[in-house]
Amino acid sequence: MLTVSKLSKVLPDGKPLLKEVSFEVGEGEMVGILGLSGVGKTVLLRCLNRLTEPDGGDVFLKYNGTVLDVAGWRDRELREIRRHFAMVFQSFNLVGRLTALENVLVGRLGCMSTLKGIVGRFSEEDKDAALSYLERLGVGHIAHRRAETLSGGEQQRVAFARARFQGCHVLLADEPVANLDPRTADEVMMQLAEITEAGGICTLAVMHQPDLVRKYCQRVLGIKDGVVVYDGKADLSDEDLDYIYDRKAADASKVA
Ligand SMILES: Nc1ncnc2c1ncn2[C@@H]1O[C@H](COP(=O)(O)OP(=O)(O)O)[C@@H](O)[C@H]1O
Ligand SMILES: [Mg+2]
């Protein structure tokens, strides 16, 4: 569904951050992205929807018989591309003064600074559809509460409903459960796996919890020194993790 080929990004100081990163993600698949802080995981996600401009490489999105050449699209078409790539973050990123339902609705506008009045322009059908996404994620009952009054787990479910209502084909989740307690994190990851499988989409989830990755992802990409050093089953071994996180090296330097 998503094909990333030789994606490169050089930092403003000339240091290469991502060096010809290539991978594929299939429909219904959730891939965990692991790697040390600062390795470029967030930049990689942002290059996929061109919130950050890559310095080279190709990104193709295939859905319903259509192929989008993401890297080839011009500036004025970017808004159309970004509709296909929804982002969710550890900080949830809802508009606090809008209700849960309004947050889901404005997601389709592709613009977070939308004023409250605009919500009134949505049809009853849109509102019903947005509500049904909230209901499917078990948060229909809080549809009319302001986002700022919701718990973290509730806010992330609203963000998932917003992504689905937006009609995305790729869900880019940057540490989606980093700010949640372990039990809620597990439940939210289970829901992310469910909407990925059921929704005809694929999900890339930057994660720092290998156990949740093993439980809910189908595959893992390990990123180190700008390249993919692991692309395989999510059931990775402790040795795989040591390699991705350079842990043996860190231990050895401690001893030295
Ligand atoms: N706009 C930018 N300008 C300069 N450096 C940046 C920019 N965005 C990210 N970086 C740098 O790129 C590196 C990778 O960042 P990031 O992708 O956020 O890492 P992480 O893997 O922790 O998500 C960091 O060293 C960061 O400082
Ligand atoms: Mg990051």
Side-chain angles (χ1 to χ4, degrees):
M1 185 171 210
L2 182 71
T3 305
V4 177
S5 170
K6 298 189 172 179
L7 189 86
S8 301
K9 179 67 190 173
V10 180
L11 290 178
D13 65 4
K15 180 179 160 276
L17 180 68
L18 300 171
K19 304 174 206 164
E20 304 204 336
V21 168
S22 301
F23 59 89
E24 294 192 6
V25 189
E27 185 174 332
E29 197 172 38
M30 176 150 74
V31 172
I33 299 181
L34 301 181
L36 285 171
S37 284
V39 83
K41 304 179 298 297
T42 296
V43 169
L44 172 62
L45 293 191
R46 291 172 58 90
C47 282
L48 298 182
N49 66 359
R50 293 190 41 201
L51 277 174
T52 295
E53 278 301 313
D55 292 300
D58 284 311
V59 178
F60 292 103
L61 172 64
K62 293 178 204 149
Y63 65 95
N64 302 341
T66 304
V67 181
L68 277 186
D69 173 3
V70 176
W73 279 41
R74 292 159 205 252
D75 288 353
R76 62 188 164 77
E77 301 162 319
L78 285 179
R79 202 169 148 166
E80 173 63 18
I81 295 184
R82 293 203 183 114
R83 194 172 65 79
H84 297 284
F85 293 82
M87 293 193 102
V88 297
F89 307 88
Q90 70 182 85
S91 51
F92 317 126
N93 279 58
L94 302 180
V95 183
R97 70 202 160 85
L98 297 187
T99 67
L101 185 69
E102 288 166 342
N103 269 281
V104 175
L105 288 166
V106 298
R108 196 174 276 183
L109 301 175
C111 164
M112 293 297 290
S113 59
T114 310
L115 295 171
K116 196 168 176 119
I118 283 181
V119 172
R121 293 187 211 158
F122 282 95
S123 66
E124 287 307 313
E125 274 165 320
D126 280 339
K127 288 178 194 168
D128 288 347
L131 182 61
S132 80
Y133 282 121
L134 287 170
E135 283 167 349
R136 269 180 262 171
L137 285 153
V139 284
H141 59 291
I142 50 99
H144 298 292
R145 277 195 22 218
R146 280 166 163 245
E148 63 204 2
T149 69
L150 304 177
S151 73
E154 288 165 343
Q155 288 189 56
Q156 201 60 304
R157 289 172 171 99
V158 173
F160 293 170
R162 182 179 59 192
R164 294 296 297 121
F165 181 71
Q166 177 186 331
C168 74
H169 289 96
V170 182
L171 217 161
L172 304 172
D174 199 355
E175 303 188 32
V177 297
N179 282 338
L180 300 176
D181 66 81
R183 183 174 145 186
T184 306
D186 191 292
E187 291 167 2
V188 165
M189 281 306 292
M190 185 167 69
Q191 288 187 311
L192 191 53
E194 281 170 6
I195 61 175
T196 302
E197 219 181 305
I201 64 171
C202 63
T203 295
L204 281 167
V206 171
M207 298 285 295
H208 287 304
Q209 303 89 344
D211 289 343
L212 289 178
V213 167
R214 288 184 179 115
K215 197 166 167 187
Y216 293 115
C217 293
Q218 279 82 49
R219 260 177 53 228
V220 164
L221 293 176
I223 303 199
K224 183 159 100 167
D225 300 331
V227 298
V228 175
V229 293
Y230 182 97
D231 181 350
K233 57 186 170 54
D235 185 23
L236 23 59
S237 67
D238 289 345
E239 287 73 26
D240 294 327
L241 288 173
D242 287 343
Y243 183 64
I244 293 167
Y245 288 123
D246 255 339
R247 280 205 289 229
K248 288 280 149 59
D251 289 348
S253 64
K254 238 183 269 167
V255 174

